[in-house]
Amino acid sequence: MNKAKRKAIIAGNWKMNKTATEAAALIGELVPSVKGAGCEVVICTPFTSLCKAVELCRGTNIHVGAENVHFEKSGAFTGEISAGMLVDLGVEYVIVGHSERRQYFAETDETVNKRAKAALAAGLKVIVCVGVTEELVRMQTKIALQGVSAEEMQRVVIAYEPVWAIGTGRTATSEQAQEVCAAIRKVVGELYGQAVAEATTVQYGGSMNAANADELLEKPDVDGGLIGGASLKADAFGAIVAAASK
């Protein structure tokens, strides 16, 4: 991390876990666990828990995000949620292009780009997920950011997800994470210039946990983490936040 140039962000992706009642209990544990953190803390909850999360996180240092968003403002899209709906709830962040959305729900690089632009247009901050090989990461990053302005990049976070590490417990080595996160920053530099690249937060997402967070986060181009399973346990998530706060 290089906090002098960009923000360190630890974001929890709860996936399809926790009812609204269970979410309230977990947030009650998280609030004291991450109080005074030296990094930005985000929890991305299922849609059904967003209202409760916004209510309980108000006045704390925890920011609330959603796990997906549709690219249209309204219409006959049964089961979908628009960016305007999220903003109206008080949501600040949204994840787009997560590997599970690409794998199980046929999301493409093009629809990820459309979702990112719709979210930015509504005023949300966006965590754009890219993954697999370095070559594919470069392509996915370029497509995801098509039509996104340099000014809007202030509200974009990019998360590198090696697909083989999602939900498996396997983690990229700190050297591998650094190499790909640096490659992502290089692409941003090619698109927007070095100043924007240096200011853009690039996260690592792929089984980051309390045991490996220190090693991953000490790398210069790893600016935080998009945390899956460990974000569902207050002590584990708190330990990762503590590592990012150093």
Side-chain angles (χ1 to χ4, degrees):
M1 297 182 293
N2 188 334
K3 292 185 180 180
K5 293 185 177 180
R6 49 192 171 265
K7 186 182 297 183
I9 301 174
I10 298 295
N13 175 23
W14 289 14
K15 308 188 180 185
M16 196 177 72
N17 292 294
K18 302 297 181 183
T19 64
T21 301
E22 292 168 338
L26 178 54
I27 291 169
E29 296 177 30
L30 284 173
V31 169
S33 180
V34 303
K35 185 178 180 180
C39 65
E40 186 142 305
V41 181
V42 183
I43 56 170
C44 297
T45 79
F47 290 132
T48 53
S49 298
L50 286 173
C51 286
K52 181 62 69 175
V54 169
E55 175 190 341
L56 295 177
C57 292
R58 189 174 292 117
T60 76
N61 63 321
I62 300 177
H63 304 262
V64 178
E67 298 176 12
N68 194 28
V69 66
H70 197 266
F71 43 81
E72 294 292 350
K73 292 183 178 180
S74 63
F77 303 102
T78 302
E80 292 293 334
I81 304 292
S82 74
M85 292 174 179
L86 296 178
V87 171
D88 186 64
L89 290 181
V91 171
E92 294 181 60
Y93 279 85
V94 65
I95 299 170
V96 300
H98 191 278
S99 60
E100 291 160 357
R101 297 296 311 176
R102 296 175 189 261
Q103 180 179 357
Y104 301 128
F105 301 101
E107 290 209 19
T108 66
D109 293 332
E110 288 73 21
T111 61
V112 171
N113 174 242
K114 291 170 72 174
R115 293 174 198 275
K117 288 193 293 185
L120 289 167
L124 291 165
K125 299 173 185 176
V126 181
I127 300 174
V128 178
C129 299
V130 296
V132 198
T133 64
E134 183 174 330
E135 181 179 355
L136 189 54
V137 163
R138 287 180 57 84
M139 182 188 74
Q140 287 179 332
T141 301
K142 288 180 178 180
I143 295 174
L145 297 179
Q146 282 181 355
V148 175
S149 70
E151 183 178 1
E152 287 175 322
M153 283 298 295
Q154 297 176 42
R155 291 185 284 118
V156 174
V157 176
I158 303 175
Y160 164 51
E161 296 185 296
V163 173
W164 48 266
I166 304 302
T168 66
R170 297 168 59 199
T171 310
T173 66
S174 56
E175 289 75 17
Q176 289 170 329
Q178 164 60 24
E179 182 179 2
V180 180
C181 288
I184 291 170
R185 197 176 309 285
K186 183 178 179 182
V187 172
V188 175
E190 293 168 359
L191 295 173
Y192 299 100
Q194 192 61 26
V196 172
E198 289 293 342
T200 299
T201 297
V202 181
Q203 298 175 315
Y204 170 76
S207 297
M208 181 184 283
N209 54 52
N212 60 33
D214 276 316
E215 183 180 359
L216 288 163
L217 293 170
E218 70 180 8
K219 294 300 181 181
D221 287 294
V222 180
D223 306 318
L226 181 59
I227 316 301
S231 69
L232 300 173
K233 301 175 182 177
D235 56 346
F237 192 64
I240 297 171
V241 169
S245 298
K246 295 177 180 178

